[in-house]
Amino acid sequence: MRNGRLFTIVGGVFGLVGLVLLCVGIAVAASTASFLASADRADGTVVALTARTNTTRSSSGHVRTSTHWYPTVRFTVDGRSYSFQSSTGNNPPAYEEGDGVPVAYDPDDPSDARIASFWSAFLAPLIVGGLSMVFTPIGAVLFVRGRRIQRLRARLWSQGRQVWAKIERVGRDLGTEVNGRHPYVVHASWQDERTGRTYTATSDNLRNDPGPRLRGRTHVRVLYDPADPDRNLVDLDALPSPADGS
């Protein structure tokens, strides 16, 4: 059984990020709604589109670029012309030059303005809120799973049945990657005397090669749940007594 601390920590981080994003999304949406409620309206025209390109690099080294177009809108209040660039960009562009758009502006400061359409005004909080709906459930699931694993491990440490299992393999777990490296694991097996069934136990992920620690040893201690021997953990620190063998 793998250590549940990683699930708990990652779940807590994801949950916290999700809650922060939710709060940010609500705050931005409330601020936008308040602005639109007190703003005056005018008819604006898209006079330019500005492209912004972002480049990201994945952990595998793959480079990805994305381009969004941000409209610049011009409108007139009391015979004076104002213009602003929308904080929301789209790909493909949501507007073309010459398109008419509704504008909401602060009557005390017309230079503080934004496109008054729903998607332009609320796209940012919707995206942030959507991300929170992804992070929060994932975080909750991982956190609950981690806590369950930790409680089960504690129960195995205090109440689990002991068996000295034969070391089958010591090596890297090629199916798992932690910080860009495959961790080491120890696989051990034993046969249940009651049923004759063979069970396998796998250690926690190990940063360093446990081979030197286990040199000369053929067995490791395993603690398991008698009701479900597949629930088990490997104790690499325990040393067998002479009666248990090496």
Side-chain angles (χ1 to χ4, degrees), residues 85-166:
Q85 185 177 88
S86 174
S87 60
T88 302
N90 300 88
N91 184 0
Y95 305 98
E96 297 181 356
E97 289 187 28
D99 284 352
V101 294
V103 173
Y105 65 91
D106 183 345
D108 297 324
D109 181 13
S111 62
D112 182 8
R114 62 194 69 178
I115 298 176
S117 69
F118 176 83
W119 288 111
S120 292
F122 290 98
L123 180 60
L126 285 174
I127 291 176
V128 174
L131 288 174
S132 74
M133 294 298 101
V134 174
F135 276 85
T136 303
I138 292 177
V141 170
L142 291 176
F143 185 84
V144 170
R145 181 180 179 186
R147 294 298 296 169
R148 286 179 177 174
I149 292 175
Q150 287 183 302
R151 286 195 295 268
L152 176 57
R153 287 174 65 91
R155 188 162 65 248
L156 289 176
W157 278 115
S158 62
Q159 305 175 14
R161 181 171 296 176
Q162 171 182 292
V163 65
W164 288 93
K166 181 180 179 182

Side-chain angles (χ1 to χ4, degrees), residues 168-214:
E168 299 291 350
R169 188 177 70 85
V170 178
R172 292 188 180 275
D173 182 358
L174 300 180
T176 303
E177 189 171 316
V178 180
N179 295 329
R181 299 178 58 189
H182 297 293
Y184 290 93
V185 290
V186 177
H187 298 278
S189 65
W190 79 97
Q191 188 175 57
D192 190 321
E193 296 179 352
R194 299 171 303 168
T195 64
R197 180 179 172 183
T198 298
Y199 293 93
T200 300
T202 302
S203 72
D204 294 338
N205 293 332
L206 305 170
R207 178 181 300 179
N208 299 317
D209 184 1
R213 294 170 54 191
L214 301 175

Side-chain angles (χ1 to χ4, degrees), residues 31-95:
S31 175
T32 300
S34 176
F35 177 85
L36 293 177
S38 61
D40 284 351
R41 297 295 192 272
D43 295 326
T45 303
V46 176
V47 295
L49 293 172
T50 302
R52 298 181 189 174
T53 301
N54 294 321
T55 302
T56 57
R57 185 184 298 272
S58 66
S59 58
S60 61
H62 179 70
V63 177
R64 179 181 179 183
T65 60
S66 60
T67 301
H68 290 75
W69 282 265
Y70 295 77
T72 296
V73 178
R74 182 175 296 156
F75 64 102
T76 301
V77 176
D78 296 332
R80 182 176 177 181
S81 179
Y82 297 88
S83 65
F84 66 93
Q85 185 177 88
S86 174
S87 60
T88 302
N90 300 88
N91 184 0
Y95 305 98

Side-chain angles (χ1 to χ4, degrees), residues 212-225:
R213 294 170 54 191
L214 301 175
R215 186 171 292 117
R217 294 173 58 180
T218 59
H219 291 72
V220 292
R221 187 173 77 140
V222 172
L223 299 170
Y224 68 93
D225 181 352

